[in-house]
Amino acid sequence: MKYFFALLFSLFILQTQAQNQPWQGKFEPIDNLLSPPNSYRTASGAPGKAYWQQRADYKIKATINESNNTLTGEETITYYNNSPDDLSYLWIQLEQNVNKKENEDFGSINNSLKNGINTRQMQFLTRAIDFPAGYSIKYIKNSKGKPIKSLVNNTMMKVLLDEPLLAGSAITFSIGWSYPITDRSMYLLSREGYEYFPEDDNTVYLIAHWFPRMAVYNDTEGWQNQQFQKLGEFALEFGDYEVEITVPEDHIVASTGTLQNPESVLTKKQRERLNDAKKSFDKPVMIITQAEAVENEQEKSTKQKTWKFSAKNVRDFAFASSRKFLWDAQAVKLPTNTVMAMSFYPKEGLPVWQEESTKAIMHALEVYSEATFDYPYPVCISVNTSNIGMEFPMISFNGGRPKNGQISKSAKAGMIGTIIHEVGHNWFPMIVSSDERKWMWMDEGLNTFLHQRTVAERYPDFNSVTPKSIAPFMSGDKNILRPIMTTSDNELFNQFGANFYMKPTVGLQMLRHSIIGKELFDAAFKEYANRWKYKHPNPSDLFRTLEDATATDLDWFYRGWFFTTDHVDMELTNVKWFKVHEEDRNIENQTKSTTVVAEGNNITDTPKDFSSGPEVINMTTTPDSSYGQFLSRIDDNAIRKELSGKNLYEVTIKNVGGLVMPVTIEWIFTDGTSEIDTLPAQIWRRMNTKLKRFL
Ligand SMILES: [Zn+2]
């Protein structure tokens, strides 16, 4: 009986209602919450005409010593001061120092001693065993070989220049250093280090934040000044890299950049297979097979070999090295670039890594490129690790292995999701280079949004994040929750995933599907990515671009979703049912009233069950005095005719959670059919918490 609940009007009439809370201005502009626009960053959210950015080029030579797990390196940095400021000192990141015993382990957050605590957790808390860690800086010298003074503050080093580095000029200097590569399993939240395989006495080295790197100097903060405390990741400058990596002769190196000397480090067979892979677009080609990798594991060469890589316009550089690696590769064709997608994994990753890893890279490359801009680099690599995923330009370390060759469907989905996610970080923050140490959500949130879209589009059998997923978190204890606009290291360890990954993802999904609409939103998201590629965007730049490119005022959405911990909880507090009842209607007599029959007592707000039927009200003819000076008159009979026999509902909605959001009402009819009504968020403009709608 569809007619039973049929809606009367498509035009909704709003009725004000007394508020029980002071006015909260939820639709007022958020200008006071954003950094003001200027000539570097415009009010439209685009980089301004005066936008500038520093640059750092690196030439690095590094050696892994497998006998004592140390990395020794020398680097020459050319730093370009493109800012309008003269700089009397420079700051360099020394992230390895976070592992020094004398430094706080900011990674441990569940810092309570309890009965039954295991030894590894106790080590995380107390660092009872003093594993060697942190940099030994051997020298810093200028291009003429003269030593430069420096001061180390925890994970950062200040380079004191004899003369200021003038605006528009460059400086070249060199640093010699070494550090013990740490065992990944001995540190909480360890993103790099080595993994030891006792069965065959081999090691997989995952080498990242390994060389002293220039801190960011920019127009919003000057020198980036937040220390590495493990949760907040990195803020880095773009530049070109020439890197020479010396490893045991039987190791295989997977790295950021393009291999410059394949003739010296790869066999003829491996080079031929790589050439075949460049032409293989439908499936990967094995460059190193399982049998070859297992044979390689036995070698234990004490000789060395140097791999040379070159990378252009990247903000970081990482690599992995081991004699355990299987290696597969295939080409992925994008509209403006053909990329080599490659996976490196020990046999412990089989069979799932051989079946899924490179395929997952391909899916990520295709979906992200379509949503933003084509992946610009020549290679995209996934390296298998024991746990967690971690991203770097062109290469990511991705956790997940089967047990005895078996893997559950959910574990496999998790592993594929991790690969997609870490490959996706090539866009955010490796190219659209926001400050991870400050705003984790800017890269994790935007990346998770596209990662979930990739899963939904390419792996429809897997679960993906939907707005429903975030409801339990957002409706949790407000004494613990923080707004998304909380800096990375101020978030609790057990909720950064929900707050910085999931909640921004759902926010973007709602903008795309419910608030802005897919076509406009997708173009605006693409606009943001293209405006800020190879640049350093701030939250304001994202917020402003999404409004500017869609002609949509989203300040109310940003205010609630990003700056508060309010949640969505709307209560349907009352529904009243009215029906026009035609009785003795005399169309000749326009003064006669029409009876409208309605449910129960219309004075109280108490919900009714409709058992007593619709409520009776009178609809009178409009008196002449109501028209004032207007000469037109409504056709009273036409109104009566339109309403005749139809249902009218007055719906009262209470906003319990506090977030202003669109209201979706699903009408379920007695014949089993249903209809969706979407009321825009703007219905809350004049009322904070409670409103009535006539439908
Ligand atoms: Zn991530």
Side-chain angles (χ1 to χ4, degrees):
M1 296 205 308
K2 193 159 179 168
Y3 64 89
F4 182 74
F5 269 94
L7 303 184
L8 262 184
F9 299 118
S10 58
L11 179 69
F12 305 115
I13 308 151
L14 208 75
Q15 190 183 74
T16 52
Q17 176 127 354
Q19 297 288 303
N20 53 9
Q21 280 181 8
W23 178 239
Q24 292 169 31
K26 294 187 178 188
F27 285 87
E28 292 306 303
I30 57 165
D31 296 3
N32 59 337
L33 298 174
L34 304 180
S35 42
N38 53 38
S39 57
Y40 309 123
R41 291 160 198 272
T42 71
S44 73
K49 285 214 165 106
Y51 180 84
W52 54 268
Q53 192 169 295
Q54 308 293 71
R55 174 190 173 90
D57 291 345
Y58 296 83
K59 289 195 168 94
I60 310 174
K61 289 181 183 177
T63 303
I64 290 180
N65 184 335
E66 199 177 22
S67 64
N68 60 5
N69 292 319
T70 54
L71 189 69
T72 307
E74 292 188 296
E75 70 190 82
T76 299
I77 305 175
T78 303
Y79 183 68
Y80 300 88
N81 180 13
N82 298 325
S83 80
D85 314 322
D86 301 338
L87 303 173
S88 55
Y89 50 82
L90 314 175
W91 279 101
I92 301 222
Q93 311 261 15
L94 299 179
E95 280 95 350
Q96 287 297 329
N97 282 359
V98 81
N99 291 328
K100 281 187 171 178
K101 185 178 179 180
E102 61 265 32
N103 285 345
E104 274 293 318
D105 184 355
F106 295 101
S108 59
I109 207 80
N110 300 316
N111 49 352
S112 57
L113 296 177
K114 54 182 180 285
N115 192 23
I117 190 167
N118 68 40
T119 51
R120 185 164 174 253
Q121 287 168 331
M122 191 60 115
Q123 169 66 18
F124 291 162
L125 294 184
T126 63
R127 296 195 172 189
I129 301 174
D130 186 8
F131 295 116
Y135 282 107
S136 302
I137 300 293
K138 293 177 179 161
Y139 62 81
I140 309 176
K141 58 190 185 191
N142 69 16
S143 54
K144 295 190 180 94
K146 191 181 162 212
I148 306 177
K149 282 192 193 129
S150 65
L151 283 168
V152 173
N153 173 13
N154 203 345
T155 62
M156 294 181 74
M157 178 166 69
K158 189 177 192 179
V159 177
L160 304 158
L161 303 176
D162 284 345
E163 289 170 13
L165 177 62
L166 299 179
S169 63
I171 183 173
T172 298
F173 61 103
S174 301
I175 307 177
W177 44 268
S178 70
Y179 73 87
I181 305 168
T182 50
D183 183 336
R184 287 187 68 216
S185 66
M186 296 300 152
Y187 290 87
L188 192 62
L189 206 66
S190 193
R191 299 177 173 89
E192 42 73 51
Y194 69 81
E195 183 184 1
Y196 180 65
F197 293 74
E199 264 183 29
D200 48 88
D201 183 30
N202 273 304
T203 305
V204 170
Y205 292 96
L206 304 165
I207 305 297
H209 35 95
W210 53 287
F211 57 98
R213 304 177 294 181
M214 291 305 306
V216 165
Y217 181 83
N218 67 17
D219 60 287
T220 46
E221 203 171 0
W223 284 107
Q224 183 265 329
N225 51 40
Q226 288 178 295
Q227 295 281 335
F228 184 44
Q229 300 182 11
K230 285 210 167 170
L231 202 50
E233 295 181 310
F234 312 107
L236 298 159
E237 301 290 12
F238 286 92
D240 294 345
Y241 286 70
E242 301 294 334
V243 180
E244 297 185 11
I245 302 163
T246 300
V247 295
E249 192 184 45
D250 47 3
H251 269 217
I252 293 295
V253 175
S255 171
T256 302
T258 309
L259 181 61
Q260 301 296 297
N261 61 336
E263 294 78 13
S264 343
V265 293
L266 302 178
T267 64
K268 187 160 178 281
K269 193 184 269 180
Q270 287 164 351
R271 296 199 305 274
E272 283 168 6
R273 290 169 176 172
L274 258 182
N275 275 333
D276 292 344
K278 282 179 188 159
K279 290 167 261 163
S280 179
F281 292 91
D282 56 342
K283 61 176 192 310
V285 171
M286 294 307 296
I287 314 300
I288 297 177
T289 65
Q290 181 179 0
E292 289 161 351
V294 169
E295 198 185 316
N296 209 21
E297 281 180 351
Q298 317 303 325
E299 277 198 34
K300 313 285 193 301
S301 171
T302 51
K303 290 185 193 156
Q304 291 185 318
K305 199 155 73 173
T306 298
W307 298 59
K308 297 180 182 177
F309 293 92
S310 163
K312 299 259 180 264
N313 217 9
V314 286
R315 59 166 244 171
D316 198 2
F317 193 103
F319 65 94
S321 181
S322 180
R323 58 174 68 80
K324 285 180 70 66
F325 285 145
L326 285 79
W327 176 5
D328 71 54
Q330 78 164 78
V332 178
K333 190 153 184 55
L334 302 172
T336 63
N337 190 20
T338 299
V339 186
M340 285 295 280
M342 309 200 280
S343 298
F344 294 75
Y345 37 93
K347 64 178 185 300
E348 286 76 4
L350 292 171
V352 64
W353 271 75
Q354 190 173 333
E355 290 161 4
E356 299 291 348
S357 176
T358 299
K359 195 159 73 179
I361 300 174
M362 177 192 74
H363 287 310
L365 288 175
E366 290 175 351
V367 175
Y368 278 72
S369 293
E370 197 266 317
T372 56
F373 47 81
D374 279 1
Y375 182 82
Y377 298 129
V379 300
C380 189
I381 295 170
S382 162
V383 181
N384 173 245
T385 73
S386 59
N387 63 338
I388 78 168
M390 187 57 204
E391 69 278 11
F392 308 95
M394 304 186 220
I395 187 169
S396 53
F397 307 155
N398 301 313
R401 283 187 193 134
K403 284 199 177 89
N404 306 319
Q406 303 294 311
I407 191 163
S408 69
K409 195 188 166 196
S410 66
K412 186 171 158 182
M415 192 200 78
I416 290 170
T418 299
I419 296 169
I420 291 169
H421 181 94
E422 308 308 340
V423 167
H425 272 305
N426 274 290
W427 281 265
F428 310 98
M430 297 302 152
I431 299 174
V432 181
S433 184
S434 54
D435 182 347
E436 297 177 90
R437 191 154 301 169
K438 203 165 185 181
W439 304 117
M440 191 190 286
W441 70 267
M442 280 197 78
D443 68 300
E444 296 299 354
L446 273 61
N447 180 41
T448 304
F449 167 65
L450 287 186
H451 144 210
Q452 292 299 329
R453 188 177 143 186
T454 309
V455 171
E457 288 181 12
R458 300 299 177 97
Y459 298 89
D461 290 351
F462 294 175
N463 291 329
S464 54
V465 169
T466 61
K468 219 176 181 175
S469 326
I470 199 66
F473 170 74
M474 287 180 69
S475 53
D477 184 355
K478 303 285 189 211
N479 293 314
I480 297 169
L481 295 180
R482 285 115 166 91
I484 295 174
M485 282 296 287
T486 297
T487 44
S488 310
D489 284 301
N490 292 337
E491 180 53 286
L492 297 179
F493 205 56
N494 59 358
Q495 66 186 28
F496 75 87
N499 201 28
F500 293 151
Y501 291 57
M502 303 264 280
K503 190 178 166 188
T505 293
V506 169
L508 293 167
Q509 288 175 336
M510 293 200 308
L511 289 176
R512 186 176 194 231
H513 296 291
S514 310
I515 296 165
I516 296 174
K518 208 167 151 186
E519 198 180 352
L520 262 180
F521 175 85
D522 285 353
F525 192 81
K526 195 175 253 198
E527 181 77 29
Y528 166 73
N530 280 280
R531 281 178 172 183
W532 290 97
K533 64 181 176 185
Y534 305 111
K535 294 189 171 70
H536 298 314
N538 291 333
S540 311
D541 303 315
L542 171 67
F543 293 150
R544 289 184 171 124
T545 296
L546 292 183
E547 290 186 318
D548 196 73
T550 59
T552 310
D553 170 14
L554 298 170
D555 281 20
W556 62 271
F557 181 80
Y558 299 145
R559 180 188 289 278
W561 198 264
F562 287 88
F563 289 89
T564 78
T565 57
D566 289 349
H567 65 290
V568 184
D569 183 357
M570 312 244 179
E571 186 182 330
L572 196 60
T573 54
N574 202 358
V575 178
K576 290 180 181 175
W577 173 26
F578 303 86
K579 191 166 183 179
V580 174
H581 185 64
E582 286 181 282
E583 51 179 325
D584 302 321
R585 190 153 58 85
N586 179 356
I587 58 168
E588 300 301 319
N589 180 0
Q590 295 194 6
T591 62
K592 187 169 181 177
S593 67
T594 298
T595 303
V596 178
V597 185
E599 169 264 341
N601 184 344
N602 201 27
I603 307 300
T604 72
D605 259 352
T606 316
K608 298 293 189 304
D609 63 2
F610 302 117
S611 56
S612 53
E615 183 170 349
V616 179
I617 56 171
N618 290 326
M619 183 167 71
T620 62
T621 300
T622 310
D624 274 355
S625 59
S626 292
Y627 291 103
Q629 297 291 312
F630 291 112
L631 297 177
S632 303
R633 294 289 182 271
I634 197 160
D635 183 340
D636 296 292
N637 288 326
I639 285 272
R640 290 189 181 104
K641 202 174 165 192
E642 276 302 311
L643 295 178
S644 167
K646 291 182 180 164
N647 299 297
L648 177 61
Y649 299 94
E650 182 193 281
V651 173
T652 307
I653 303 159
K654 197 172 157 197
N655 190 343
V656 181
L659 265 194
V660 286
M661 277 293 144
V663 178
T664 304
I665 299 175
E666 183 175 18
W667 300 87
I668 300 169
F669 304 108
T670 51
D671 66 358
T673 62
S674 64
E675 273 176 19
I676 299 268
D677 241 333
T678 305
L679 315 181
Q682 282 74 10
I683 57 171
W684 300 104
R685 269 187 186 283
R686 291 177 185 82
M687 286 148 295
N688 284 330
T689 56
K690 196 170 175 185
L691 55 82
K692 287 184 178 177
R693 309 288 296 174
F694 299 103
L695 306 164

